[in-house]
Every structure is written in C-alpha cells, then in structure tokens.
Amino acid sequence: MLIEIGGTVGDIEGEPYLEAVRQLHQELGHERVMFIHLTLLPYLKASEELKTKPTQASVKELLRHGIQPDMILARSDLPVGKDIIQKIALFCDVPAEAVIPALTVPSIYEVPVIFEKYHISKIIFQHFKLKVVKPNLTPWQNLIKKIHDGKKTVKIGLAGKYTENPDAYLSVIEALKSACYHFDAKLNLVWLDSEKLENKKSPEGKRLQALDGLLVPGGFGKRGIEGKILVAQFARENKIPYLGLCLGSQIMVIEAARHLAGLIDANSEEFDPKSKNLIVHFLPGQSERRAKGGTLRLGSYPCVIKKGTKAWEAYKLEKIDERHR
C-alpha cells in the first residue's frame, strides 16, 4: 500500500489522517506500507538557491507523529542538483536514490516518464520485495508526443461563475484537453463569466464569437444562470456545438423550452419555484430547503435512447445504464 503524504503535514485537519496511517503501518508492517512524502523546495532569488529547510521541518513533524518517509518527492520549479538530493537524504534519513525531483512540467502526463528516469518503480518494487518489472511507458510517451505535436487548435468557451478560480473546473479542463489530444489538437480555452454575460453592455458577450464549441459545466444556485441560458441560446442559434454537463444540460432544456416552445418563464424548481412552467424538478424526497450537494442521486440509472439522435450515434444502443444524477 502506497501512502502519499503532502499538504496534510502541519495542518490540524490532517492530524487524524496521520494517526490513522501510522496505525495502519504498525498493523500491516513495513513491507506492506510505503510512505511517500511530497514536499516543496522553495527558490530564494536573493541567494539563488533551493532551500531544503521546509522539507527537513516537515519530515521532523512526521517523525513527531511516528512516521518515517520511505521516499521524498521534491517539488521544484528548477533542476534539483545532486548536492540538494544528498542534503535531503542526510537530514531526512532517506536513501539518496529515494529522493526524487518532482519538477514543474508543461503537462502532468509527463510526470510518470520523468519519475521513471529516477527508477521510481524499481524502488517501489524493492520496498515491497516484489519482482522488479520494467514498466511499459510507450503509451505515455506517445501521449506526450501528441500533446506537443498537435496539428490544430480547438477554441472552446467554458461558461461558469467561478472562472477566477480555474481549479473549480479542473476535471472538466483535463477532460477537454484529453479529447483534444485524442484528435491531435491543442486546446485554446476561453473563460466566459456567466454573470457578466447577463449584462448586455458587457464586452463579455463578444468573447462568444469565433468559438469551435461551448461548454456549460455543473453547479448549484441561481447566480449566473441567465448568462448560461444566453450561452445555450447563442450556441443553438449559431449552430455551435454545445456540451452541457449536469446543470449545463438543464440549462439547454430551459433555453429550448423558452425560445422553441414559447414557455417564456420556463425554469428549474431550484432557481424559481414560483414559475408556472417548471421543467426541471427536485427528485422525490428533496426540497429547496435541503443542501443540493448532499441530495444527488448516485449509482446506475437506466436511460432509453431514441434512434436518430446524437446520443444514439455515440452509443448505438437503445438502453444504457449511466450515473445520471
């Protein structure tokens, strides 16, 4: 069992986690548990050096909890020299070969290939007393090549209300990148603030032009909803591919109901429970008084697909089971 220890060290919220993994190590034994500590090597421009003191301090904090790292991944924006590796090994009581630089790279998909240059898999195999097997990194290397050699660029607009914090949509962004890599393309992501779009005088609306596709991700609450509906309308009227995820698909249905079916006040029960034309409702047992995040329907759910639709083209099946929420 590999246990990665990073941001939890020093945080009071991480205390129960550290004690739990310490006990797990004690119960299972050293040959069945491996501690990998991810730590930061800050760079001081004034002295032009990477500092190991934070790493030493965090390891001492782990030792106070009864945990000795078996490997240290040293995060750095700059190359980590042998002198730094030896220093970390000496003061953190970790073999030098188990101190592995974790350099900042253009794509996270390069990380496995870089780690393997330092024989990370061999170290892990040996720790667990397993037969050392050389990993096949060809798929990773091919992916990296596709990432760097993209022949075209796809311009996708993402409309949300947390655009100032891209991490809020990290999984969506990575999925978009992966789709682009599959087709030998690079992603040009255009952030669209759904709240600003509600103001027709805002220049945000001009950013909708010249896009190859539009995406509205999931979310809760009515803030910025009308802006997202405008995005769905723009996509439909200008025949721009639109992908609605969770809330984004509800937005698409509301827009169609308003502008194709003539139900001007069509809405979701979540945003306007007084609307006469509610076309999106709470699931049975839910209500506007309950926190939406804890009421999602989980697990597999049957869905019937109509022939001739885009969904039929994708699945080629009349009935599927998906995690519809």
Side-chain angles (χ1 to χ4, degrees):
M1 178 179 293
L2 294 173
I3 298 178
E4 186 273 330
I5 307 170
T8 58
V9 181
D11 295 339
I12 191 169
E13 297 89 349
E15 298 279 334
Y17 169 77
L18 293 176
E19 175 57 20
V21 297
R22 184 200 66 78
Q23 291 187 26
L24 186 66
H25 178 268
Q26 196 275 336
E27 291 176 6
L28 298 181
H30 187 65
E31 292 183 4
R32 296 181 63 190
V33 175
M34 184 177 187
F35 290 118
I36 299 178
H37 184 32
L38 176 65
T39 180
L40 176 67
L41 297 181
Y43 175 73
L44 292 187
K45 190 174 182 180
S47 58
E48 297 184 340
E49 62 178 337
L50 292 169
K51 302 299 292 184
T52 65
K53 284 294 183 183
T55 298
Q56 296 177 44
S58 63
V59 170
K60 284 183 171 59
E61 180 67 15
L62 284 175
L63 290 172
R64 187 177 71 82
H65 288 276
I67 297 172
Q68 168 63 53
D70 300 298
M71 179 187 291
I72 291 179
L73 301 179
R75 278 286 293 112
S76 174
D77 292 330
L78 298 173
V80 181
K82 291 184 179 180
D83 55 333
I84 296 292
I85 291 175
Q86 291 290 346
K87 189 174 182 180
I88 293 174
L90 176 63
F91 289 103
C92 297
D93 198 22
V94 174
E97 61 270 19
V99 178
I100 297 179
L103 301 180
T104 300
V105 289
S107 169
I108 59 171
Y109 300 106
E110 297 180 39
V111 173
V113 176
I114 292 175
F115 279 177
E116 193 53 34
K117 290 180 180 179
Y118 295 94
H119 311 292
I120 188 171
S121 63
K122 180 180 178 181
I123 297 169
I124 294 172
F125 280 129
Q126 290 177 336
H127 176 89
F128 292 114
K129 299 193 182 309
L130 299 171
K131 179 183 177 181
V132 176
V133 179
K134 186 177 181 179
N136 177 18
L137 292 176
T138 301
W140 286 102
Q141 293 164 339
N142 291 341
L143 174 60
I144 293 169
K145 189 175 187 304
K146 288 169 76 76
I147 291 172
H148 292 300
D149 297 344
K151 298 181 178 66
K152 57 186 177 182
T153 299
V154 180
K155 195 173 183 181
I156 303 295
L158 191 154
K161 57 186 178 184
Y162 308 119
T163 54
E164 294 181 358
N165 181 20
D167 275 5
Y169 305 109
L170 187 58
S171 61
V172 175
I173 296 170
E174 289 303 317
L176 284 172
K177 287 180 180 178
S178 296
C180 287
Y181 301 152
H182 182 75
F183 290 101
D184 296 316
K186 293 182 179 180
L187 173 67
N188 178 3
L189 187 64
V190 178
W191 292 100
L192 300 167
D193 189 314
S194 59
E195 283 190 281
K196 291 180 180 178
L197 285 170
E198 294 178 350
N199 181 358
K200 295 184 179 180
K201 296 181 180 180
S202 171
E204 195 75 3
K206 295 180 180 179
R207 294 163 62 81
L208 287 167
Q209 306 296 329
L211 294 174
D212 297 307
L214 282 160
L215 185 148
V216 176
F220 298 96
K222 66 179 182 180
R223 183 164 62 90
I225 289 299
E226 293 302 319
K228 294 176 182 179
I229 293 174
L230 287 172
V231 168
Q233 182 181 5
F234 182 87
R236 179 180 57 79
E237 292 178 348
N238 292 276
K239 301 188 184 309
I240 297 175
Y242 172 100
L243 176 61
L245 303 176
C246 196
L247 171 64
S249 63
Q250 297 178 25
I251 293 296
M252 179 171 57
V253 175
I254 293 172
E255 188 281 323
R258 288 184 182 182
H259 302 112
L260 294 179
L263 304 176
I264 303 302
D265 69 335
N267 218 320
S268 164
E269 188 177 359
E270 179 183 353
F271 312 136
D272 185 9
K274 295 181 181 179
S275 171
K276 292 181 180 179
N277 290 293
L278 293 175
I279 59 171
V280 181
H281 299 265
F282 291 119
L283 290 170
Q286 295 184 7
S287 74
E288 69 278 5
R289 293 185 295 276
R290 295 183 63 187
K292 307 305 179 297
T295 57
L296 296 174
R297 172 169 41 203
L298 305 178
S300 181
Y301 192 75
C303 175
V304 176
I305 298 180
K306 183 179 179 180
K307 287 186 177 181
T309 62
K310 292 292 185 181
W312 172 262
E313 288 182 23
Y315 283 95
K316 298 290 191 301
L317 294 170
E318 292 185 15
K319 185 178 180 181
I320 62 170
D321 289 289
E322 292 282 7
R323 293 183 64 222
H324 296 303
R325 296 183 175 210

